């Protein structure tokens, strides 16, 4: 686990691969060590730690969700882009705080972060969660100054499209209601 924060990329990749192949997922020692390294100085190290957390957490440990939510505000766009997918893959479901933090990433200046947040939302909130679509509709009608307005609208539209891909009628109606005849 210490080698995940090594300054040399080949060492980090080897450590990650070894952890995933050799150490059992149920190993109680690994998760606390990984959690202590989520704020590593090197962005590549943080990305490797996120990959390892995703592998070792079955969604049962709230500390993992908290650490991943903290990475949503990381200074490095690649880390912010990886965090929503990790949250979704770790089995976090219908936690309002997590969903709202991911929704905030739809406004990110980096397109890849907005796309990752949009792709993760349908996995983070199920169809019975009636907070996501109204929030997305409100984000589509935001009145912020450019370029924030365009970034947020693009992120919200991506998220609504992902939501509709799973056959959500309310999301499809939301898209239909947003189309204006000119």
């Amino acid at each position: 686990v210490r080698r995940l924060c090594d300054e040399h990329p080949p060492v980090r990749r080897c450590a990650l691969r070894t952890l995933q192949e050799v150490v059992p997922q149920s190993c109680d020692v690994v998760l606390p060590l990984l959690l202590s390294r989520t704020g590593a100085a090197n962005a590549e190290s943080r990305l490797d730690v996120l990959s390892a957390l995703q592998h070792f957490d079955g969604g049962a440990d709230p500390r993992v969700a908290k650490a991943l939510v903290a990475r949503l505000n990381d200074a490095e766009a690649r880390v912010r882009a990886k965090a929503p997918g990790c949250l979704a893959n770790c089995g976090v479901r219908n936690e309002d705080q997590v969903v709202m933090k991911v929704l905030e990433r739809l406004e990110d200046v980096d397109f890849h972060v907005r796309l990752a947040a949009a792709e993760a939302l349908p996995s983070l909130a199920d169809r019975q969660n009636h907070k996501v679509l109204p929030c997305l509709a409100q984000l589509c009608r935001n009145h912020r100054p450019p370029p924030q307005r365009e970034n947020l609208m693009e992120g919200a539209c991506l998220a609504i499209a992902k939501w509709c891909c799973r056959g959500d009628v309310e999301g499809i109606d939301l898209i239909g209601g947003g189309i204006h005849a000119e």
Side-chain angles (χ1 to χ4, degrees), residues 11-152:
V11 173
R12 287 195 308 270
R13 283 192 296 273
C14 184
L16 179 59
R17 192 171 40 251
T18 302
L19 272 173
Q20 292 173 338
E21 292 175 2
V22 176
V23 180
Q25 286 183 311
S26 59
C27 183
D28 295 336
V29 177
V30 175
L31 212 50
L33 289 170
L34 289 171
L35 289 169
S36 70
R37 285 165 173 73
T38 57
N42 182 334
E44 295 293 330
S45 295
R46 292 192 303 274
L47 286 168
D48 291 338
V49 169
L50 290 181
S51 294
L53 277 174
Q54 184 177 335
H55 178 77
F56 283 99
D57 181 53
D61 197 325
R63 297 174 299 171
V64 173
K66 185 177 178 181
L68 293 172
V69 166
R71 293 300 86 186
L72 288 170
N73 295 322
D74 197 276
E76 175 65 39
R78 292 175 300 156
V79 176
R80 291 193 313 272
K82 187 166 181 86
C86 289
L87 281 164
N89 292 335
C90 284
V92 176
R93 299 285 181 274
N94 291 319
E95 292 187 26
D96 288 342
Q97 179 187 7
V98 173
V99 171
M100 295 311 289
K101 291 290 186 183
V102 172
L103 280 168
E104 288 173 10
R105 290 296 98 210
L106 293 175
E107 191 177 355
D108 200 279
V109 295
D110 188 270
F111 170 77
H112 299 291
V113 176
R114 294 192 303 270
L115 181 62
E119 288 178 347
L121 275 172
S123 298
L124 293 171
D126 59 23
R127 290 182 184 179
Q128 286 74 34
N129 188 322
H130 296 290
K131 295 178 182 178
V132 175
L133 282 175
C135 187
L136 290 172
Q138 182 180 2
L139 292 176
C140 284
R141 294 185 298 267
N142 79 82
H143 298 288
R144 295 192 175 114
Q148 292 91 358
R149 177 178 52 224
E150 287 80 11
N151 288 347
L152 187 52

Side-chain angles (χ1 to χ4, degrees), residues 178-182:
I179 299 172
H180 301 290
E182 294 185 18

